[in-house]
Amino acid sequence: MDAAATGRLVQQAIEQLQQARPGDAERLLRQVLAMHPDHPDALHYLGVAALQSGRAAEAAELIQRSLQISPGFAAFNNLATAFRVLNRPDEAIACLDRSIQLNPNHPDALWNLGTLLAARGQHEPAVRAFTRLLQLQPRHPKAHFLLGSSLAELSYLERSVHAFRAHLQLQPDHVEAWGRLSAALSRLERHEEAIAAARKAAELCPDLPEAHNHLGWVLDRAGRLTEAEAAYRRAIQLNPRFVMALGNLAAHLEKTDRLDESCAMFERAVAADPTHLEALCSLAGSYSRCGRYAEALEVAEKALAINPHSASARGHRALALLSFGRYEEGFAEYEWRWKCKDFTTPERDFEQPRWRGSDPSGRTILIHCEQGYGDNIQFARYLPMLAERGATVILECPVALRRLLSHVRGVSKVIAAGLRPPPFDLQAPLLSLPHVFGTTLATVPAEVPYLHVPQEVTEAWRGRLAARLGRFNVGLIWRGNAKPNPKRSIPLRELAPLASVSNVTFVSLQVGQQGEEASCPPPGMTLIDLRNELTDFLDTAAVMQLLDLIITIDSGGAHLAGALGRPTWTMLIKVADWRWLHDREDSPWYPTMRLFRQTHADDWHDVVARVACELAARVNALA
């Protein structure tokens, strides 16, 4: 067979492949290979025929043989397709890179490379491939769409919006593109444009639950809560088992303070898909926020049966266990906190190894603080225990705590967070110490005081306050940080019943903006306002030493008073933090503290009335 005849057969085979008739193409190509076993085009297109027939491994072998004889950009592109079918993406990418080297203007190779990279989450090189493709074919609608998607993944949001709009000019009825455009606009906080785009998607497919769910999400982010709820409910009406919409509505209900309804909606999500890990974790969290800790623990364990490495499930299980006082198990689970997406403190990275309980004698250990002031004060009790084992303890803590914690027994040096520490051998986060020491409810180190104020500091404050203090003096703390829970704060005006107790001088221990209410106390309340005089926690501790009682909400000040061994009454919300356990008026962490819990959620009246009654009884007993 001469070259001309061979060429005609190969061309006929290509035409058969273009018509998706691989069997006919294969018969023609095998005629060529019978006469010319190493004909590169015949091997290449026989591989394509095998690929069309679903024989990807054979296709890859044939095309590779053709490339050994004559490397060509089209063969590399088709070999990449075979590797994709065989789930060998790295080899597919290498083939496409080689194809583009041979022909930089080959649109099929650029498209295949871009889609493969995007599917693997390699969005930067995907953007480059799609951008080059669109330079060659500006009206390639799918390239605009995937370019926008990759740009959004990289948070290049303005460029993403431009790409989606270019795509929609070519395909104005593409529902998913309208949805992705609205998501990018929402992230840019261009809310009205985002809502308009999401509405367009819902209008194009009014019976598509996903479109209504997405509209709800965009409205939610825009603060249009009533409309958002309606959109979520429409999505659920269209598909009652739509887990994402059920979860979004549940989260929305929680945000609008409808916790029982939120729980019920998360329960529906889990009922729709009992193996949906995110739904299970969300339900566990919802149960905890409603105070249904036993159910939270049960659901968290179901989630862990599906994925033992779920940080969210581990976190919910930890908090449930801790709330029941199952400290040994709970603090072990609490070590997963660093992997939980909402955890407030970033994990630290040190060259020095983590201390996990080995003999620390003769070694210097850096303990670094985490989370809020109250957490750092509560768990500072473990520092003397570490020193007793022979370690030299360096503590890193927030500036506002530095002077106070400098006086903890066994601490050799305290440095403010952000400063370079002196040399050390080992390190550990403060709230990991209960786990390392194997703390149980029976072995909580509860000896107080474990914080101490130098006598000269206390006496200086005694001199400053001598003329202002009365016969019975009560420190007041009524507001804490909005995080983790704004509900734990009480407006000062709601403490008005305390003013009815005679012969009491109140001292505001609120500082900064949170203490501004002290300038206008409830009628009849004698309140000393120290917000412009207290500079840090050591000053506050010194003032507490001069008081007969501290009345506080769940705050850093509550932990400070308890750690000083001062008589302390702490007012708690109905679903209180794990550290206050359940249904107890005492705390294993603070022997001098008494707890006053809400009877009804978000209602402080009963709590304040009980506190006022107990305060009157205490003052009268001293008369």
Side-chain angles (χ1 to χ4, degrees), residues 464-484:
R464 292 170 66 173
L465 296 177
R468 292 187 275 176
L469 293 177
R471 187 163 65 91
F472 193 87
N473 303 290
V474 176
L476 275 188
I477 301 172
W478 60 90
R479 287 200 182 274
N481 292 329
K483 291 184 178 182

Side-chain angles (χ1 to χ4, degrees), residues 58-323:
E58 181 183 342
E61 182 182 352
L62 288 164
I63 299 172
Q64 284 175 306
R65 283 176 56 193
S66 80
L67 286 168
Q68 289 171 357
I69 300 164
S70 176
F73 69 88
F76 274 113
N77 188 45
N78 287 324
L79 178 58
T81 302
F83 281 141
R84 288 185 70 170
V85 173
L86 293 167
N87 195 27
R88 293 158 63 178
D90 291 334
E91 291 165 278
I93 289 172
C95 287
L96 291 167
D97 283 335
R98 185 72 178 113
S99 178
I100 292 166
Q101 288 172 11
L102 293 170
N103 184 357
N105 298 324
H106 189 214
D108 286 350
L110 288 165
W111 168 253
N112 290 335
L113 178 61
T115 55
L116 182 57
L117 290 167
R120 286 172 60 79
Q122 296 173 241
H123 294 290
E124 288 279 10
V127 165
R128 291 194 292 271
F130 291 132
T131 300
R132 177 59 184 148
L133 172 58
L134 288 165
Q135 290 170 349
L136 299 170
Q137 295 184 348
R139 295 184 61 80
H140 193 303
K142 291 183 179 178
H144 284 295
F145 175 71
L146 288 185
L147 173 61
S149 300
S150 284
L151 288 167
E153 291 289 340
L154 294 166
S155 294
Y156 299 147
L157 298 177
E158 291 287 1
R159 292 172 61 192
S160 173
V161 166
H162 178 78
F164 286 132
R165 291 201 188 281
H167 168 77
L168 287 165
Q169 286 180 346
L170 299 168
Q171 289 191 348
D173 294 339
H174 189 182
V175 173
E176 186 179 358
W178 283 109
R180 293 193 179 224
L181 171 62
S182 73
L185 289 165
S186 181
R187 290 173 63 191
L188 286 166
E189 298 188 0
R190 291 160 58 179
H191 295 302
E192 293 307 314
E193 293 175 81
I195 291 167
R199 287 198 192 282
K200 179 67 175 177
E203 289 167 5
L204 286 168
C205 284
D207 295 330
L208 184 67
E210 289 80 4
H212 293 280
N213 177 61
H214 180 72
L215 174 59
W217 179 80
V218 171
L219 288 163
D220 224 336
R221 285 176 58 88
R224 292 165 61 168
L225 302 184
T226 302
E227 295 170 89
E229 182 174 339
Y232 290 140
R233 291 194 183 279
R234 176 58 180 154
I236 294 166
Q237 183 182 33
L238 290 167
N239 180 2
R241 300 180 65 80
F242 189 1
V243 173
M244 183 178 292
L246 290 164
N248 282 342
L249 178 56
H252 172 86
L253 291 167
E254 181 177 306
K255 186 165 59 178
T256 54
D257 215 24
R258 294 145 70 184
L259 296 184
D260 290 338
E261 291 180 71
S262 174
C263 255
M265 200 57 61
F266 279 128
E267 287 172 341
R268 281 187 60 182
V270 169
D273 184 355
T275 64
H276 195 290
L277 185 63
E278 186 176 352
L280 284 165
C281 290
S282 295
L283 178 58
S286 185
Y287 279 148
S288 289
R289 287 183 287 275
C290 290
R292 297 163 64 177
Y293 300 104
E295 291 164 286
L297 182 58
E298 180 183 352
V299 172
E301 289 176 343
K302 286 180 180 178
L304 289 170
I306 295 169
N307 180 5
H309 302 290
S310 168
S312 179
R314 292 280 181 183
H316 290 308
R317 183 171 190 269
L319 295 183
L321 289 168
L322 290 170
S323 76

Side-chain angles (χ1 to χ4, degrees), residues 570-587:
T570 300
M571 299 179 288
L572 299 176
I573 59 176
K574 183 172 176 58
V575 182
D577 190 72
W578 62 265
R579 72 200 72 216
W580 306 119
L581 303 174
H582 306 295
D583 304 321
R584 292 178 62 150
E585 292 188 355
D586 68 323
S587 168

Side-chain angles (χ1 to χ4, degrees), residues 343-355:
F343 187 58
T344 57
T345 306
E347 188 169 13
R348 304 289 293 279
D349 185 20
F350 294 97
E351 292 181 2
Q352 293 85 347
R354 174 93 167 264
W355 182 64

Side-chain angles (χ1 to χ4, degrees), residues 444-482:
V444 169
E447 182 180 344
V448 294
Y450 59 85
L451 297 183
H452 304 277
V453 182
Q455 185 67 25
E456 62 272 18
V457 179
T458 302
E459 292 307 316
W461 274 100
R462 191 187 305 276
R464 292 170 66 173
L465 296 177
R468 292 187 275 176
L469 293 177
R471 187 163 65 91
F472 193 87
N473 303 290
V474 176
L476 275 188
I477 301 172
W478 60 90
R479 287 200 182 274
N481 292 329

Side-chain angles (χ1 to χ4, degrees), residues 377-398:
I377 291 169
Q378 179 180 1
F379 295 99
R381 69 186 70 219
Y382 285 91
L383 300 173
M385 297 169 63
L386 185 54
E388 287 167 5
R389 290 196 177 188
T392 298
V393 179
I394 300 173
L395 177 66
E396 179 196 76
C397 69

Side-chain angles (χ1 to χ4, degrees), residues 333-386:
E333 289 286 87
Y334 199 56
E335 290 299 289
W336 284 80
R337 64 193 181 277
W338 308 106
K339 298 185 184 300
C340 296
K341 64 180 181 180
D342 295 327
F343 187 58
T344 57
T345 306
E347 188 169 13
R348 304 289 293 279
D349 185 20
F350 294 97
E351 292 181 2
Q352 293 85 347
R354 174 93 167 264
W355 182 64
R356 301 183 184 277
S358 60
D359 182 5
S361 181
R363 311 187 80 178
T364 298
I365 300 182
L366 173 70
I367 302 298
H368 37 99
C369 288
E370 55 177 285
Q371 305 182 56
Y373 293 128
D375 301 279
N376 295 321
I377 291 169
Q378 179 180 1
F379 295 99
R381 69 186 70 219
Y382 285 91
L383 300 173
M385 297 169 63
L386 185 54

